[in-house]
Amino acid sequence: MSSSNTISHEIAAILRDEILQQRYRSGERFPSERDLAARFDASRGAVREALSQLEQLGLIRTQPGGARVQSVKSASLAVLGPLMALGDYPDPLLVDQFLQTFSVLTAMTAKNAVVAASPEQLIQLKKLVAELAGEAEDFEAMQPHWRALLEAMSTIADNLVVRLISNDLKAQFVDQMIELGIRPDLRAGSIDKLLSSLRVSLNNQDGELAGQAMQDHFVELREAVGEAIRFRADELSIRAAN
Amino acid sequence: MSSSNTISHEIAAILRDEILQQRYRSGERFPSERDLAARFDASRGAVREALSQLEQLGLIRTQPGGARVQSVKSASLAVLGPLMALGDYPDPLLVDQFLQTFSVLTAMTAKNAVVAASPEQLIQLKKLVAELAGEAEDFEAMQPHWRALLEAMSTIADNLVVRLISNDLKAQFVDQMIELGIRPDLRAGSIDKLLSSLRVSLNNQDGELAGQAMQDHFVELREAVGEAIRFRADELSIRAAN
DNA sequence: GCCCTATATTTGGTCGGACCAATTTGGTCT
DNA sequence: AGACCAAATTGGTCCGACCAAATATAGGGC
């Protein structure tokens, strides 16, 4: 039995989503442990474990007299994944904020990796860029290669802080988009431009160029993803009207 | 009784630090709940709650047969604060990584804030910059003003993702440095240069300039902090030798 | 000695009940 | 309306019990 199937995890996930959907006002007292145990037909021990998890996420603060709901704004980054997974499609503004933030971190990582790479690592990166180029026509098929390239850069740059951030950013974000039927339509040549710049940056070990190429790519990706979400939202509301 | 004084929180903090100090190898089985209950002279329920917290941090994975330790590299960003608080002074490399990461996020926030600010908000920011200028001679005294400026920019830029990251980055980092006796010695004129650029950026609503000013400032801050940590480390080892 | 299988033991998951400290609520008085 | 107090509620913790799943051990075969 995987630990994510325990009663306490299920309870925590349900309550987490209720908080993220703002069913409770910030500062409000949360239902009591005894009430939650009755609601979920579980023991108070399981409820307490679930509340421990929510507290670690910064979503509640437990104290005698009753837990209090905290503002989502003061929560841990780990709530971002579930926040974006709410509903049929994610909030476009939140997605854009995610992409913008991810882009500056990715640009920094690319820059540092290109500067720090050994000759062997440069060869490895070039190889990964070439593999990515081989799938550049198909957005979905190129994702594993894109992830491999980012992972290699992250390893070479070796910044633990960015690594920890990425863990919580759920860099499988794109997979989630694809599952939800959101497919960004990048302009022709956009990936080619990125790959071309990356190749030059690797040949010259030019970190600035690598970083700038990443940032430019994400500017386009942000637009494309925003359009795709709006398109998907329209699809879903038309379907709902029928 | 504040919730942070509960037995389960104390147990979780001790175990968290042991994991962060690599007392256990990644993948290794963690001590059993019954053993931990005996070790801490507590009930198994309290231990379970502590383990729930550690799992939420991504430090362990609980499953029947025994919890397994996870690599710190795959943990949640929320472990960064405790990681930097280990020992008499933090790892200089980790601090530098933190500052570098924080600087790109701060630059992005400053840029977005200056671009997005209403006329009233621009006036507010200018006022905060002026207040910061009034304390620029004293690194410690200027921290509340610095924080107020960053907070205002963060509010104006209104990027939830960066907000969540900052929550976990423990932006009280500087306070922690001061407590540990680490005092960065910024070059004369460094703050003046930053403030001057910020004023121009606000007058012209020039986001790029604001972002660049922040980045430049952090380049200097990184150097100064690194020196200060090395100085402090030397102090402590001389003291230990006596 | 190595591998496989069966069994025993250990471990996590959960339950219910008990008790105490801290907080909240409701009633009374001024 | 505000202050105060008692009662009720709530979190914090403990204990013992039981079951499912994983791990360790023993025995047999090659």
Side-chain angles (χ1 to χ4, degrees):
Chain A
M1 177 163 61
S2 151
S3 64
S4 61
N5 286 351
T6 62
I7 291 181
S8 72
H9 284 94
E10 291 177 11
I11 294 171
I14 291 168
L15 296 175
R16 178 199 70 210
D17 287 351
E18 287 180 1
I19 294 172
L20 293 180
Q21 287 165 334
Q22 308 200 4
R23 299 276 174 83
Y24 310 92
R25 289 184 307 274
S26 173
E28 185 179 340
R29 199 166 59 171
F30 212 52
S32 75
E33 296 173 357
R34 290 169 175 92
D35 285 348
L36 290 171
R39 172 181 162 191
F40 291 109
D41 192 28
S43 73
R44 219 181 115 211
V47 167
R48 289 188 58 79
E49 284 173 42
L51 296 184
S52 267
Q53 291 163 41
L54 294 182
E55 193 183 37
Q56 196 61 54
L57 286 173
L59 290 175
I60 63 170
R61 180 176 172 82
T62 55
Q63 61 207 26
R68 299 282 170 174
V69 178
Q70 303 290 109
S71 165
V72 174
K73 283 188 176 178
S74 60
S76 158
L77 180 60
V79 305
L80 184 64
L83 196 53
M84 289 209 285
L86 291 179
D88 293 326
Y89 57 91
D91 174 5
L93 180 60
L94 184 60
V95 170
D96 193 60
Q97 290 173 355
F98 163 82
L99 284 173
Q100 191 185 21
T101 308
F102 190 61
S103 76
V104 298
L105 295 172
T106 305
M108 182 183 108
T109 299
K111 177 178 168 183
N112 290 343
V114 170
V115 167
S118 67
E120 292 78 28
Q121 286 167 333
L122 284 171
I123 289 169
Q124 180 199 8
L125 290 174
K126 287 176 189 174
K127 187 178 170 189
L128 289 168
V129 168
E131 284 169 7
L132 184 58
E135 300 284 354
E137 302 291 335
D138 180 351
F139 184 76
E140 190 168 337
M142 83 180 210
Q143 294 309 313
H145 300 287
W146 174 243
R147 273 202 299 273
L149 176 63
L150 292 188
E151 179 60 35
M153 284 180 169
S154 179
T155 300
I156 295 167
D158 199 26
N159 181 323
L160 180 62
V161 177
V162 173
R163 170 77 68 176
L164 297 179
I165 292 174
S166 299
N167 292 339
D168 283 334
L169 282 183
K170 303 294 179 190
Q172 287 86 7
F173 160 77
V174 173
D175 287 348
Q176 198 177 338
M177 293 296 103
I178 289 166
E179 268 181 43
L180 291 174
I182 294 162
R183 294 164 190 278
D185 183 18
L186 284 163
R187 260 190 288 264
S190 176
I191 298 284
D192 291 338
K193 184 180 161 195
L194 167 69
L195 296 175
S196 170
S197 295
L198 286 180
R199 276 188 287 257
V200 173
S201 72
L202 290 168
N203 285 335
N204 300 331
Q205 222 162 350
D206 180 351
E208 292 286 345
L209 179 58
Q212 191 60 51
M214 283 289 183
Q215 292 237 39
D216 294 341
H217 170 64
F218 271 94
V219 168
E220 297 221 20
L221 184 62
R222 281 167 68 192
E223 287 183 28
V225 169
E227 288 285 340
I229 295 176
R230 279 189 289 274
F231 180 75
R232 184 67 177 153
D234 288 346
E235 274 187 327
L236 290 173
S237 59
I238 287 168
R239 189 181 300 181
N242 297 342
Chain B
M1 176 163 64
S2 149
S3 66
S4 61
N5 286 350
T6 63
I7 290 181
S8 73
H9 283 94
E10 291 177 10
I11 293 171
I14 291 168
L15 296 176
R16 177 200 68 210
D17 287 350
E18 287 179 359
I19 294 172
L20 293 180
Q21 288 167 330
Q22 306 198 11
R23 299 275 174 83
Y24 310 92
R25 290 183 306 274
S26 175
E28 185 178 342
R29 198 162 65 168
F30 211 52
S32 75
E33 296 172 358
R34 290 169 176 94
D35 284 348
L36 291 171
R39 171 180 162 192
F40 292 107
D41 191 27
S43 73
R44 219 181 116 206
V47 167
R48 288 187 59 81
E49 283 172 39
L51 296 184
S52 265
Q53 291 162 42
L54 293 183
E55 192 182 38
Q56 198 60 56
L57 286 173
L59 290 176
I60 63 170
R61 180 176 172 84
T62 55
Q63 63 209 26
R68 299 282 170 176
V69 177
Q70 303 291 111
S71 165
V72 174
K73 284 189 174 177
S74 60
S76 158
L77 179 61
V79 305
L80 184 64
L83 197 52
M84 290 208 285
L86 291 179
D88 294 325
Y89 57 91
D91 173 4
L93 180 60
L94 185 59
V95 171
D96 193 60
Q97 289 172 356
F98 163 81
L99 285 172
Q100 190 184 22
T101 309
F102 190 61
S103 76
V104 298
L105 294 173
T106 306
M108 181 184 107
T109 300
K111 177 178 167 183
N112 289 343
V114 169
V115 167
S118 67
E120 292 77 27
Q121 287 168 332
L122 283 171
I123 289 170
Q124 180 199 7
L125 289 175
K126 287 175 189 172
K127 186 178 169 189
L128 290 169
V129 168
E131 286 171 5
L132 183 58
E135 301 283 357
E137 302 292 333
D138 181 351
F139 185 76
E140 191 168 336
M142 80 182 215
Q143 294 311 313
H145 300 287
W146 174 244
R147 273 202 299 273
L149 177 63
L150 292 189
E151 179 59 35
M153 283 180 168
S154 180
T155 300
I156 296 166
D158 198 27
N159 181 324
L160 180 62
V161 178
V162 173
R163 168 80 66 180
L164 297 179
I165 292 175
S166 299
N167 293 337
D168 284 335
L169 280 183
K170 303 294 181 191
Q172 287 85 7
F173 158 77
V174 173
D175 287 348
Q176 197 177 336
M177 292 296 103
I178 290 167
E179 268 182 43
L180 291 176
I182 295 164
R183 294 161 191 274
D185 182 19
L186 285 163
R187 262 189 288 265
S190 175
I191 298 284
D192 291 337
K193 184 179 161 194
L194 167 69
L195 295 175
S196 172
S197 295
L198 285 180
R199 278 190 285 261
V200 173
S201 72
L202 290 169
N203 286 333
N204 300 330
Q205 221 162 352
D206 180 350
E208 292 286 346
L209 179 58
Q212 191 60 50
M214 284 291 183
Q215 291 237 40
D216 294 342
H217 169 64
F218 271 94
V219 168
E220 298 220 17
L221 183 62
R222 282 167 68 192
E223 287 182 26
V225 170
E227 289 283 340
I229 294 176
R230 280 189 290 273
F231 181 76
R232 184 66 178 154
D234 288 346
E235 274 187 327
L236 289 174
S237 57
I238 288 168
R239 189 180 300 182
N242 297 344

